[in-house]
Amino acid sequence: MALHQTEATGPAAPAPSAPEALRATLAELRRLAALPLERGQTLPPPAYTSPELYEWEVERIFRREWLCVARTEEIPQPGNYLRLDILGTSLVITRDEQGELHALSRVCRHRFMDLLPPETAPEHGCLKRLTCPYHAWTYRLNGQYAGQLAGAPLMQRVDFDRAGCRLPAHRVEVWNGFVMLNLDPGAAPVAPELHGLDLRLSSHGIADWVSVHTQTWEGVPANWKVAVENGCENYHHMGTHAATLEPVLPARDTEVDECDGRWFTMFTPLSRPERGGTGLGRQARTGRGPQPGMLIAGIFPQFVLAVLPDSAVGIRWLPTGPATHDTRITVMVPPKVADTPGYAERSDGLRARIARIQEEDLVAVRGVQRGLASHPAPSNGRFSHLERPLWQFQRYLAERLL
């Protein structure tokens, strides 16, 4: 990570025109990011409530960083598309005849119409071309011409450069079967940053797993960082999930790896009475001998993956405002698992458990957000050793925001 201790001790350096409150919050972030884990503290309340900081995060993180936005199976065949809206950017992910993915603007170049309005177009579908429902302009979806204007009715009598009319395209890469998107045309590739994480996941073959269930919670009333931090530690198992996860995956047994930078991992073994079978699955961790449990892998700023041998759960968070976000959860299984006898019943049970656990987490993140807005403002708390990923997250934020 590029943030060194010597850099982290100086004053924060936002733009001179930044509001004083924002400058103070960034200065506190710089101080906290320089602390060792043993003295680590939570971010101050304004970090989760300030509209100015939210706008700073959108510009410096979400419009510059690689974001996990989908699974490749959501766009499985040539001609398939997936409609997305990312922080006010209307997009469509398409797959061309060679199997390559493209991320295109969904805004017609004529008079700004949504090419796939949710009022009439499904989220997923199959198209040969994109046709604007307003004035019937059409755009190609094949290979190097993806996004190129193909037709514009009744434009022959005006001075109009058809060849120069094209939908803007954005960077897209595939990582372990996940679609990664970047709105910054100058961003470096994502793969080198995640090489170490690839090595940790290499024995699981996640790239070939198939999605069997996706559920979205929209407009959750909590800052995106509250949700991400909740998903980055198992310490809360003993409280939030006391009757669900804690008896099976005890918080006290979690081992958090010493990572730094963009990604982190941790492992929680199954409690001994549950090792004969829990319905959650079992995980063999390389390097420590066969050991049943769950591997958590996170990629900042907005993605966490929980891996078991017979299932995995991917969670993606996207902010929708200073104090709201959307949560999207996808359940994946290894190839052919869905064809085994009794899978339908097991799948129904897994979906119900995931929904229950997410509802418990929603109680937690909503409660934290209410606490952050209380008066007088609460003071910074101290981190447990199990909250190392949150300490690492602060360093990541400092790297991007300062």
Side-chain angles (χ1 to χ4, degrees):
M1 182 173 174
L3 177 68
H4 302 292
Q5 293 290 342
T6 55
E7 296 174 336
T9 56
S17 60
E20 182 178 350
L22 174 58
R23 294 171 63 86
T25 301
L26 292 176
E28 178 68 353
L29 171 61
R30 181 176 289 272
R31 182 187 73 83
L32 294 173
L35 294 175
L37 175 60
E38 294 73 18
R39 294 194 288 116
Q41 302 176 27
T42 60
L43 293 171
Y48 305 93
T49 59
S50 165
E52 293 81 11
L53 180 64
Y54 170 71
E55 294 299 330
W56 195 265
E57 292 168 340
V58 168
E59 292 304 317
R60 294 210 163 204
I61 294 178
F62 287 95
R63 296 198 182 282
R64 301 184 185 183
E65 190 65 276
W66 287 97
L67 306 175
C68 181
V69 297
R71 283 288 290 179
T72 55
E73 315 97 87
E74 296 182 72
I75 321 102
Q77 301 294 331
N80 285 160
Y81 75 83
L82 170 66
R83 185 181 64 231
L84 292 173
D85 290 279
I86 307 294
L87 296 159
T89 302
S90 300
L91 300 168
V92 57
I93 308 293
T94 65
R95 191 181 291 275
D96 66 24
E97 70 279 6
Q98 302 299 322
E100 295 297 320
L101 295 177
H102 302 269
L104 302 172
S105 169
R106 218 172 63 233
V107 180
C108 184
R109 302 296 278 175
H110 175 218
R111 278 176 48 201
F112 321 117
M113 178 63 184
D114 188 342
L115 296 171
L116 294 168
E119 294 87 349
T120 58
E123 182 182 27
H124 301 79
C126 188
L127 294 170
K128 290 185 177 179
R129 290 186 175 182
L130 277 174
T131 300
C132 179
Y134 199 10
H135 297 96
W137 285 32
T138 59
Y139 301 88
R140 300 175 66 174
L141 296 178
N142 52 315
Q144 63 178 316
Y145 301 106
Q148 179 68 49
L149 182 71
L154 306 179
M155 293 292 291
Q156 297 88 346
R157 297 186 183 183
V158 297
D159 184 7
F160 174 53
D161 180 14
R162 291 170 178 262
C165 185
R166 190 167 193 164
L167 298 174
H170 300 281
R171 302 275 301 283
V172 63
E173 294 187 15
V174 175
W175 175 81
N176 278 289
F178 291 96
V179 180
M180 307 293 287
L181 172 79
N182 200 312
L183 301 177
D184 180 5
V190 69
E193 274 192 296
L194 303 180
H195 177 68
L197 184 55
D198 284 334
L199 296 177
R200 296 300 305 274
L201 293 172
S202 60
S203 63
H204 304 287
I206 297 296
D208 298 324
W209 288 26
V210 295
S211 302
V212 293
H213 175 63
T214 296
Q215 189 165 354
T216 301
W217 285 262
E218 296 182 340
V220 178
N223 180 268
W224 69 277
K225 296 188 296 299
V226 172
V228 169
E229 289 176 343
N230 180 76
C232 289
E233 50 93 350
N234 290 347
Y235 187 25
H236 71 290
H237 281 197
M238 62 181 63
T240 298
H241 305 302
T244 51
L245 291 178
E246 177 66 13
V248 183
L249 296 159
R252 65 180 180 277
D253 295 337
T254 298
E255 300 176 46
V256 183
D257 296 314
E258 293 188 6
C259 303
D260 205 354
R262 181 76 194 277
W263 58 269
F264 70 88
T265 54
M266 58 186 173
F267 180 79
T268 306
L270 287 170
S271 60
R272 292 190 177 277
E274 299 292 345
R275 291 186 180 185
T278 66
L280 290 172
R282 288 181 290 174
Q283 175 64 49
R285 185 174 186 180
T286 59
R288 300 184 183 179
Q291 189 176 24
M294 178 173 65
L295 174 67
I296 299 287
I299 303 175
F300 300 132
Q302 47 78 253
F303 176 64
V304 163
L305 180 67
V307 185
L308 299 153
D310 57 1
S311 64
V313 178
I315 309 178
R316 309 190 295 272
W317 298 276
L318 276 178
T320 55
T324 59
H325 71 273
D326 292 345
T327 300
R328 191 170 181 90
I329 295 179
T330 299
V331 182
M332 296 153 283
V333 297
K336 301 183 179 179
V337 165
D339 300 327
T340 59
Y343 174 75
E345 293 76 10
R346 296 196 306 275
S347 177
D348 289 343
L350 178 60
R351 293 181 185 185
R353 284 190 295 276
I354 289 172
R356 181 181 176 186
I357 290 167
Q358 174 62 9
E359 291 297 333
E360 292 171 344
D361 280 327
L362 290 176
V363 171
V365 300
R366 288 192 294 254
V368 168
Q369 193 69 33
R370 288 194 299 271
L372 288 164
S374 64
H375 298 282
S379 60
N380 303 40
R382 291 295 298 274
F383 285 144
S384 159
H385 71 282
L386 294 178
E387 294 171 297
R388 189 185 198 283
L390 277 63
W391 171 80
Q392 184 180 340
F393 185 42
Q394 289 181 354
R395 294 163 61 82
Y396 166 86
L397 292 172
E399 170 92 2
R400 267 56 176 183
L401 298 177
L402 298 177

